[in-house]
Amino acid sequence: MAQQQLINNRYAIKANIGADKSGYFLTLQDITDGKNYYTKLIKIDNNTLSAKSLYALQMRMQRLTQFAHTNVISVYEPELAEEGMLMRQTDLPGSSLKNIMIKQGRPLPLKSAYRIALDIASALAALHSEGLVHGELDPSHIFVDNGGKNYLSFLELPPAFDADQAVYTMPDLNPQPEAKPDKDIFAFGVLMLEMCTGLSPYRSSGESTDVEEYSHTFAYYRECIKESVGLEVPELVSVLSRCLTDNKAQQFKNGEELYWAIRELVDKEVPKKELPAEEQSADKKKNKASSQKKSGKQSSGFVTGKQKKKTSVLPLLLILLALAAGAGYLWYAKPDFLKDLPKLPQITLSATETEKTPAYEQTLSLLHGTQTAMAVQSSQKTEVVVPTETPVPTETPTPEPTATQIPRPISAAAGRSIRWNADGSIMAAVPASSFRMGMDDTFLYELSGILPSHSVSLDGFWIDTAEVTQKQYAQCVADGVCQPIERIADEWIGDDLPIMNVRWTDAQVYCAWAGKRLPSEAEWEKAARGSDSRLYPWGNSSRSIGEYPNRIHKSGDDALDLSPYGVRDMAGNVSEWVNDFFSETRVITDTEMVNPIGPISGNMHTVKGGNFLSADPESAAFTFSRSGAAPDATRNYGFRCVVSADEVDTVKAEEDQPLTLASAVPETERPEDCTNRARFVSDVTIPDGTVVRRGEWVTKTWELENYGTCPWNENYKVVWSDENFNNDQKLFDIGTALAPGESGEISVTFPVQGQGSTHISFVLANEKGETFGLGERGRGDLYIEYNVE
């Protein structure tokens, strides 16, 4: 597709967005008028759609071209091309809701979630009023433009397209040939749950028409709704209950009912303020319409037969004009707290587009008015025919729950843990959010293959708090799934010790046997690093070499090697396989920022974490350190497993005790583009020429002044930079915070090295690994000089 320049000799390909099983997603530009379109090209050789379903899709898109609404992206007539069928909609700058939830994490701020819900419910109300159904509602069909306006999209959007669409599909024991409004209502409820709580949608494992799957799905959401009360969103209970129920009598009948429920929910969220005359009038209209519905005097805006006979055309036209003039009240009567949300500059629509997308109330008013006018004209020419009574559909009985255990949700919040039933491992929750991965400067360490610093967004997941043990691996071998490991030293053997000398394929097979998977490199690094860009799992403070265990120990037994999510031994014990292929030189692109999986091929896989046999435990403990190894290499590698947050429920796991977490790294406020500068004041200990003895330890202390503009924190480093002497410890915390202009004492302690007159050099560094020396240009030498006796 990248080589295809034109489609239908009319559209130039601007960007190839991606693909799913049925076609390509492209940005096209009409070469005749320069207009841009977001499109899907159904492949001509597509084998996932039958001729009948392809025709039905074409007919559906043609119907949707006649629909217009201010919160719906306009679609156009499908076109047949040599490559297949082309479906187009207006191209707008912005992002899908799926992408926003991945990057910002869940739940969304309640105000933002309510605004999205109100806008999408408005669009669904208009759709349903015209006898249309979306049928594929999920976060990849909701678009937020750069001005903060929310749209319903009929084409799936990147990055996920409709990969998770089944999660939002209502199970139905008696599916109809065409989608009904209840499908949209159910999907909307799942969206509300996802946007407003930390709970995950139910991920079914079977067909939506299966009785057991049916009962489990609705039982799961009943539990979710109960738990939502504990998450301080009790106002959602009523809406969620009516969206996610299998009781047809209780469910919202259509989008219009849903819209008014969302509007009432939003009104309750903020105390009612004094409204301008227009808004008071709008609320009176709403109350009057509501009372008319309750009294049965009005049904969806249509008039009765008697009313038609008494209506004349002139009063009707006046009514239509009045309706058109006041039609937009619903949008403009939004609560103040929604109007005050910060916005980027709005997209300017052309007059044609503005006319094509009236507000929801305007759409309904004009629709009802047009239908009324048509009815009047009809009554003037022919007798009114009383419609036959629509038969009331019989309700499908709710199946009785089966005797099997019903899964209940487990919220993945930091500090929570579960016991995974398949292998008994304790797993820590890592919530969805963004973090900084990689490192640009490395304290003068020459570390190969380090990724440049970049922001990564990850979905929530659970990770083993300790490396897989030899006892756990032996059970997989006993089940005939895993391969036995090669012989290891006797002192390295023990049930509670981590498994080691396993190949990458062995680790992958074990995780699959336990119903889990190997972590991606990004997941592993986030579990070790958190969202505060720490150097080590425990923070930014450097350990002395003696604090790193130099022998293997029980999995999870190092209380100091603790991450911000309660995960242990990520800086030591055994190095660990992750799922990604390894590459020493990689260019990070925007498309890799969300749930990255590394290079798509390679001869090696990535290894993360320190090792008790490491020759340099200090650099191996860095959260950003990485290396590569052939997949059949054994050496001293172990592993741990992960599982995605939305795959965890009470059938697969049990909730466990809260975890101890590493302390957060204090933030230091720094002015933008500040500079690090240091000035030597005096030698406090070991003045030049001091006599020292081989074998003893010395503590050198300087008094230095911070005369730059960056404040120094306690974890700024003194870095051993002398290449003539190889000290085991190269990083020393300065141990004191110095604001610009302040002076303080800074020390390093190490064993005497060299012979005779000895000069050893050091530099300073911030926690980002950026080094600087003394003086205005930062090149001056910080050193110690002594005579070895």
Side-chain angles (χ1 to χ4, degrees):
M1 287 303 303
Q3 298 176 350
Q4 180 72 40
Q5 296 301 312
L6 289 178
I7 294 180
N8 265 10
N9 295 318
R10 178 179 174 182
Y11 303 109
I13 298 177
K14 292 187 64 179
N16 190 339
I17 308 298
D20 67 1
K21 60 185 179 182
S22 63
Y24 300 99
F25 294 89
L26 310 164
T27 301
L28 303 182
Q29 185 175 59
D30 190 328
I31 59 176
T32 62
D33 59 13
K35 189 171 182 178
N36 293 329
Y37 299 96
Y38 174 72
T39 64
K40 182 175 184 180
L41 179 63
I42 304 293
K43 296 180 289 188
I44 195 69
D45 58 348
N46 174 48
N47 57 8
T48 63
L49 291 175
S50 64
K52 181 179 178 181
S53 57
L54 190 62
Y55 178 75
L57 180 60
Q58 184 179 10
M59 293 301 99
R60 177 175 180 267
M61 292 300 293
Q62 286 179 340
R63 288 190 68 193
L64 293 176
T65 60
Q66 306 304 312
F67 177 78
H69 186 270
T70 190
N71 293 115
V72 174
I73 301 178
S74 299
V75 295
Y76 301 86
E77 289 278 350
E79 297 182 21
L80 295 178
E82 291 183 3
E83 300 85 353
M85 187 171 76
L86 190 67
M87 298 183 293
R88 298 175 295 136
Q89 69 182 32
T90 301
D91 184 45
L92 301 173
S95 180
S96 69
L97 176 60
K98 177 70 175 180
N99 198 32
I100 289 172
M101 289 197 293
I102 289 172
K103 288 189 173 183
Q104 296 185 7
R106 294 189 296 113
L108 297 179
L110 210 53
K111 292 180 181 180
S112 298
Y114 280 174
R115 177 171 182 170
I116 293 170
L118 195 64
D119 290 345
I120 300 307
S122 170
L124 291 177
L127 262 179
H128 294 175
S129 73
E130 294 197 29
L132 299 172
V133 174
H134 189 283
E136 296 179 343
L137 183 62
D138 68 3
S140 68
H141 285 84
I142 295 176
F143 184 83
V144 182
D145 75 10
N146 289 344
K149 188 173 180 180
N150 309 299
Y151 295 90
L152 193 62
S153 173
F154 292 117
L155 296 184
E156 50 268 44
L157 304 164
F161 300 112
D162 61 354
D164 293 329
Q165 214 282 310
V167 174
Y168 304 86
T169 301
M170 183 182 71
D172 194 345
L173 296 177
N174 298 289
Q176 302 296 314
E178 293 186 3
K180 301 296 182 183
D182 58 355
K183 302 286 187 183
D184 289 343
I185 300 297
F186 179 87
F188 185 91
V190 178
L191 274 169
M192 284 291 287
L193 184 86
E194 204 173 9
M195 289 192 299
C196 300
T197 77
L199 301 173
S200 298
Y202 180 70
R203 197 172 282 271
S204 65
S205 57
E207 296 294 331
S208 63
T209 55
D210 181 78
V211 172
E212 183 177 345
E213 203 64 69
Y214 182 99
S215 61
H216 282 187
T217 301
F218 289 107
Y220 179 90
Y221 285 121
R222 281 194 290 272
E223 291 295 327
C224 283
I225 293 166
K226 289 179 183 177
E227 187 163 343
S228 71
V229 178
L231 295 174
E232 299 182 357
V233 284
E235 67 274 9
L236 294 177
V237 170
S238 174
V239 172
L240 292 176
S241 298
R242 295 190 64 187
C243 288
L244 302 173
T245 179
D246 54 347
N247 187 327
K248 302 297 183 183
Q250 294 179 2
Q251 191 183 51
F252 294 111
K253 292 181 177 59
N254 52 44
E256 193 170 352
E257 275 195 6
L258 173 66
Y259 175 84
W260 286 115
I262 296 295
R263 176 59 198 267
E264 288 173 6
L265 185 151
V266 170
D267 285 341
K268 290 177 183 176
E269 179 63 18
V270 172
K272 194 96 174 155
K273 295 183 179 180
E274 193 74 26
L275 294 175
E278 275 187 29
E279 297 187 354
Q280 290 177 359
S281 174
D283 276 355
K284 287 178 182 177
K285 285 183 182 180
K286 171 191 163 183
N287 294 335
K288 181 178 179 182
S290 180
S291 64
Q292 285 174 331
K293 288 179 184 177
K294 292 178 182 177
S295 63
K297 294 181 180 178
Q298 180 178 339
S299 175
S300 301
F302 296 99
V303 295
T304 64
K306 289 184 178 180
Q307 289 172 318
K308 292 176 187 176
K309 291 183 179 180
K310 294 181 180 180
T311 305
S312 66
V313 176
L314 183 58
L316 175 63
L317 291 176
L318 293 175
I319 292 172
L320 285 175
L321 289 173
L323 283 171
Y329 82 87
L330 190 59
W331 176 262
Y332 296 104
K334 278 188 176 181
D336 289 342
F337 85 96
L338 290 182
K339 293 180 179 179
D340 294 338
L341 286 174
K343 291 185 179 181
L344 296 173
Q346 289 282 354
I347 296 173
T348 303
L349 298 176
S350 67
T352 304
E353 290 173 316
T354 305
E355 291 169 3
K356 188 178 179 181
T357 55
Y360 157 58
E361 185 66 16
Q362 184 177 355
T363 301
L364 286 186
S365 297
L366 294 177
L367 172 68
H368 296 163
T370 302
Q371 290 170 328
T372 303
M374 291 173 64
V376 170
Q377 292 174 5
S378 176
S379 68
Q380 292 172 345
K381 295 179 181 179
T382 62
E383 290 187 21
V384 176
V385 179
V386 180
T388 58
E389 186 174 352
T390 304
V392 179
T394 57
E395 283 202 21
T396 304
T398 302
E400 292 293 328
T402 61
T404 57
Q405 184 182 356
I406 296 174
R408 297 196 311 274
I410 299 178
S411 179
R416 301 186 73 170
S417 71
I418 55 174
R419 182 179 296 274
W420 191 250
N421 294 335
D423 64 357
S425 59
I426 304 299
M427 305 188 77
V430 182
S433 69
S434 299
F435 81 109
R436 297 296 300 182
M437 183 178 180
M439 196 76 170
D440 291 328
D441 294 283
T442 55
F443 304 100
L444 303 183
Y445 269 107
E446 295 182 2
L447 303 177
S448 61
I450 301 302
L451 297 177
S453 179
H454 61 289
S455 179
V456 169
S457 295
L458 292 177
D459 291 339
F461 60 95
W462 298 80
I463 186 169
D464 293 341
T465 57
E467 294 145 332
V468 171
T469 66
Q470 295 177 27
K471 181 179 180 180
Q472 289 173 316
Y473 190 84
Q475 184 59 55
C476 181
V477 174
D479 284 356
V481 178
C482 293
Q483 295 292 320
I485 62 169
E486 295 180 2
R487 178 70 179 172
I488 57 177
D490 289 342
E491 63 267 28
W492 298 346
I493 298 176
D495 283 352
D496 296 328
L497 297 179
I499 189 67
M500 58 189 299
N501 282 24
V502 291
R503 299 167 299 178
W504 178 85
T505 50
D506 296 328
Q508 188 184 46
V509 168
Y510 174 90
C511 290
W513 167 80
K516 299 185 279 189
R517 58 180 172 81
L518 278 176
S520 67
E521 181 178 1
E523 287 174 328
W524 193 100
E525 188 165 324
K526 183 184 178 184
R529 195 171 200 177
S531 56
D532 50 17
S533 299
R534 57 187 59 205
L535 300 174
Y536 313 101
W538 56 83
N540 285 334
S541 60
S542 295
R543 286 184 176 185
S544 65
I545 295 301
E547 292 180 290
Y548 289 98
N550 59 1
R551 58 188 297 273
I552 195 169
H553 58 262
K554 292 180 180 180
S555 291
D557 210 34
D558 186 352
L560 296 177
D561 189 352
L562 179 67
S563 90
Y565 299 110
V567 187
R568 296 175 182 265
D569 287 336
M570 303 194 85
N573 222 14
V574 294
S575 300
E576 302 173 23
W577 289 110
V578 295
N579 192 62
D580 301 30
F581 285 107
F582 178 80
S583 173
E584 281 199 9
T585 56
R586 278 186 59 201
V587 177
I588 306 300
T589 64
D590 289 343
T591 57
E592 294 182 287
M593 299 306 182
V594 179
N595 295 320
I597 57 174
I600 61 174
S601 63
N603 298 320
M604 297 190 294
H605 281 278
T606 303
V607 177
K608 296 283 285 183
N611 194 288
F612 74 101
L613 294 174
S614 176
D616 188 0
E618 192 173 55
S619 63
F622 286 140
T623 55
F624 52 84
S625 287
R626 60 197 300 266
S627 60
D632 57 352
T634 54
R635 298 182 62 182
N636 48 337
Y637 300 144
F639 65 96
R640 69 183 80 217
C641 307
V642 303
V643 62
S644 299
D646 57 7
E647 296 177 11
V648 174
D649 56 44
T650 52
V651 170
K652 300 174 183 175
E654 299 176 2
E655 295 193 69
D656 209 74
Q657 301 299 313
L659 295 171
T660 301
L661 310 182
S663 301
V665 174
E667 291 187 15
T668 302
E669 292 187 8
R670 289 188 176 86
E672 291 187 11
D673 300 323
C674 66
T675 56
N676 283 299
R677 296 285 185 269
R679 178 184 287 118
F680 172 78
V681 177
S682 66
D683 288 315
V684 179
T685 66
I686 318 292
D688 294 352
T690 299
V691 176
V692 296
R693 292 180 174 82
R694 182 181 299 277
E696 69 179 13
W697 287 63
V698 296
T699 298
K700 170 66 178 181
T701 303
W702 303 273
E703 183 178 359
L704 301 180
E705 178 192 350
N706 174 5
Y707 83 105
T709 57
C710 294
W712 299 357
N713 61 48
E714 293 88 343
N715 295 139
Y716 265 55
K717 312 292 182 186
V718 178
V719 182
W720 186 291
S721 60
D722 202 306
E723 296 179 355
N724 297 316
F725 304 99
N726 184 27
N727 192 55
D728 288 338
Q729 184 175 357
K730 291 183 171 57
L731 300 182
F732 307 83
D733 294 338
I734 66 172
T736 182
L738 294 179
E742 291 184 344
S743 299
E745 295 182 357
I746 294 170
S747 302
V748 296
T749 301
F750 59 93
V752 169
Q753 298 193 33
Q755 55 185 355
S757 179
T758 301
H759 178 106
I760 301 174
S761 300
F762 301 84
V763 294
L764 300 171
N766 63 12
E767 67 270 40
K768 294 182 179 180
E770 301 166 338
T771 58
F772 58 99
L774 303 179
E776 185 65 36
R777 301 179 66 184
R779 298 180 180 178
D781 196 12
L782 181 66
Y783 64 87
I784 177 175
E785 282 187 354
Y786 53 67
N787 291 314
V788 181
E789 193 175 69

